[in-house]
Amino acid sequence: MLLQVEKIEKSYGDHCVLDGLSFTVDRCEVVGIMGANGAGKTTLLRIINCLLEADGGQVLFEGYPMTRNDLEVVGYLPEERGLYRRMRVGEQVLYLAQLKGMSRKEAEESAHEWFRRLGAEDWWKKPASKLSKGMQQKVQFIAAVVHRPRLLILDEPFSGFDSENATMLRREIERLSAEGTAILLSTHNAEAARDLCTKIIKL
Ligand code: ATP
């Protein structure tokens, strides 16, 4: 099992958000996290990404307590989107891929392949500030997958995309999953969740 979330508890003050949540995500699985606004989806994804500490329970990665070292093989599209506004987006993706342990050459090959695949090659030299919100989101998705993560975590990946890009994203999620990537995504899009997910966790 790639990821095991075991009895995770989290409160903010006396507001209990996660109350002993458990589930697993394995290779080739697409697990959906659904719940109303404020249900705790982002809190959960931040805990798995070691950005927030749980009050109780544990997250295991390949059977061991997950640490920041595991993040090299994890990709994360956070809810709060944000690229460096002035830096050219191609360079940003290369920089982020190298932070995840890729060599410059590997990063260039993978990044160019992704930009081509998603029809974004013409944006490579543009700063993020010159791209629309949806275009920036596409670049951020590339930044989450460029290093070929084993676990991909997507927080509301469809929000901000038009229907054509949402369909593109669904196709890419299916393809990555078929290739073996374990995918965990939060969404309010019930139709996408029903079509894509092998399992849905309701918060
Ligand atoms: P949405 O669908 O609106 O994105 P969500 O399911 O992702 O919501 P979270 O962002 O995880 O929900 O928030 C869960 C609850 O925890 C909310 O009630 C929120 O107000 C609260 N909360 C989140 N972060 C903090 C914080 N840093 N301090 C206090 N309360 C917080």
Side-chain angles (χ1 to χ4, degrees), residues 31-36 39 41 185-194 197 199-203:
V31 176
I33 307 288
M34 298 195 73
K41 302 178 295 294
L185 63 89
S186 82
T187 185
H188 290 290
N189 185 331
E191 190 200 321
R194 194 190 54 225
C197 296
K199 187 157 79 188
I200 291 178
I201 312 298
K202 292 228 165 71
L203 293 188

Side-chain angles (χ1 to χ4, degrees), residues 165-184:
N165 278 316
T167 303
M168 171 280 300
L169 181 62
R170 279 162 72 154
R171 202 178 55 229
E172 292 306 322
I173 290 172
E174 280 170 347
R175 196 177 61 83
L176 287 164
S177 157
E179 286 175 357
T181 312
I183 299 172
L184 181 60

Side-chain angles (χ1 to χ4, degrees), residues 12-13 15 17 35-44 52 79 155-156 186 188 203:
Y12 295 106
H15 177 200
V17 178
N37 292 132
K41 302 178 295 294
T42 295
T43 298
L44 170 70
L52 200 60
E79 185 184 47
D155 201 346
E156 292 283 354
S186 82
H188 290 290
L203 293 188

Side-chain angles (χ1 to χ4, degrees), residues 77 81 137 141 154-161 169 173 185-187:
L77 177 72
R81 314 285 198 243
Q137 181 160 331
F141 174 74
L154 304 170
D155 201 346
E156 292 283 354
F158 300 105
S159 76
F161 270 155
L169 181 62
I173 290 172
L185 63 89
S186 82
T187 185

Side-chain angles (χ1 to χ4, degrees), residues 112-124:
H112 279 294
E113 189 188 326
W114 272 107
F115 272 75
R116 263 196 306 276
R117 173 190 292 289
L118 301 192
E121 193 69 350
D122 290 351
W123 315 341
W124 184 272

